[in-house]
Amino acid sequence: MGTFEELVAEGAAVPLEGWDFSWFEGRATEERPPWGYASLIAARLRDVTSALDLQTGGGEVTASAPVLPPVMVATESWPPNAAVAARRLPLVVQAPDAGPLPFRSSSFDLVISRHPVVTPWAEIARVLRSGGTCFSQQIGAGTNRELTDFMMGPQPVGGARSAAVARAEAEAAGLEVLLLEPVSLRVAFFDVGAVVHFLRKVLWTVPGFTVEGYRDRLLEMHRHIQRHGEFVCTSTRFLVEARKA
């Protein structure tokens, strides 16, 4: 393990494009949800003729499916991520996360999304065909709140990202919720460089994070990890599946 300055500089230099988290190997761990999202969407993609992947990031998860449907489209709002995804997927369209989606109504049998920033349920309902489904793994309310509080002081936990809100919004859009499964997962960081890279990549954990702006708290994080061997927090996820009648 390097010095504080070396670790911080290393975490600050890692490119942010895509959603490949392999850089964290040996430096941080996150318990995986029990359901195996990639395997579940692979099975669903195999059985449809058209699918839309919303906010695909670098397209990593969808591209891992062994079979893609004849019509496979993805959206991504951040141009660097869209460029990465375009190398993996047949068609990637730059579109705003909150919509509107640039597709005709009733265009897709399946809409998928892993960790969307926002979920535009009304637009999802519009572009789904009758009997089509939306299948998504979402980040729940209060995820990694221990990390947020360590860096910023105690913060209120809003309910906007809760499973209950997702159900209400999906139903308000005219969808029938078939599955809603929440889970809490253990996250551990083993050096402050991993914390820096995570906060740069997952922007909503500490809004407005910069190394200089949070140097004092990063130094305290470094000392905490030296004393305890890790910094532990809890992520929340939920799986939701909804069908258009």
Side-chain angles (χ1 to χ4, degrees):
M1 183 177 292
T3 67
F4 169 72
E5 294 294 344
E6 289 170 343
L7 292 168
V8 168
E10 187 177 1
V14 184
L16 298 177
E17 293 83 359
W19 282 105
D20 179 1
F21 282 72
S22 60
W23 181 88
F24 288 98
E25 185 173 353
R27 309 184 70 152
T29 61
E30 181 178 9
E31 184 184 2
R32 310 313 299 164
W35 45 71
Y37 177 76
S39 296
L40 293 175
I41 65 159
R44 285 162 172 77
L45 288 170
R46 185 180 59 237
D47 294 337
V48 298
T49 59
S50 59
L52 170 64
D53 178 11
L54 291 179
Q55 301 169 47
T56 190
E60 297 86 355
V61 177
T62 298
S64 71
V67 178
L68 296 179
V71 177
M72 182 73 240
V73 185
T75 68
E76 174 55 39
S77 63
W78 193 42
N81 272 356
V84 173
R87 297 196 289 267
R88 295 189 170 108
L89 298 174
L91 177 61
V92 179
V93 177
Q94 287 191 38
D97 293 336
L101 298 175
F103 310 110
R104 294 190 181 96
S105 299
S106 303
S107 292
F108 300 101
D109 301 315
L110 175 68
V111 174
I112 58 175
S113 188
R114 180 180 181 271
H115 302 173
V117 177
V118 295
T119 307
W121 286 109
E123 281 290 271
I124 290 170
R126 182 183 65 79
V127 300
L128 276 174
R129 292 172 178 159
S130 296
T133 59
C134 173
F135 191 80
S136 178
Q137 179 176 297
Q138 306 248 342
I139 297 171
T143 196
N144 296 323
R145 64 175 298 181
E146 300 92 341
L147 178 56
T148 301
D149 290 352
F150 186 96
M151 299 300 294
M152 302 179 68
Q155 301 293 310
V157 176
R161 300 194 69 92
S162 70
V165 168
R167 176 187 290 277
E169 291 182 348
E171 291 177 344
L175 301 176
E176 176 190 6
V177 176
L178 306 176
L179 172 70
L180 190 62
E181 183 176 349
V183 67
S184 296
L185 306 163
R186 186 181 190 271
V187 179
F189 296 92
F190 304 129
D191 71 71
V192 72
V195 174
V196 169
H197 181 43
F198 183 83
L199 293 178
R200 292 174 59 235
K201 196 173 187 71
V202 188
L203 299 172
W204 51 85
T205 307
V206 177
F209 171 80
T210 63
V211 168
E212 289 307 316
Y214 284 88
R215 183 169 291 274
D216 290 346
R217 296 310 300 157
L218 291 171
L219 180 57
E220 187 57 36
M221 173 68 73
H222 179 63
R223 292 167 176 162
H224 175 98
I225 294 174
Q226 285 184 315
R227 290 193 301 269
H228 302 283
E230 61 185 5
F231 179 85
V232 176
C233 54
T234 304
S235 69
T236 59
R237 300 285 184 270
F238 62 89
L239 195 67
V240 59
E241 184 172 22
R243 178 173 60 199
K244 184 173 181 177

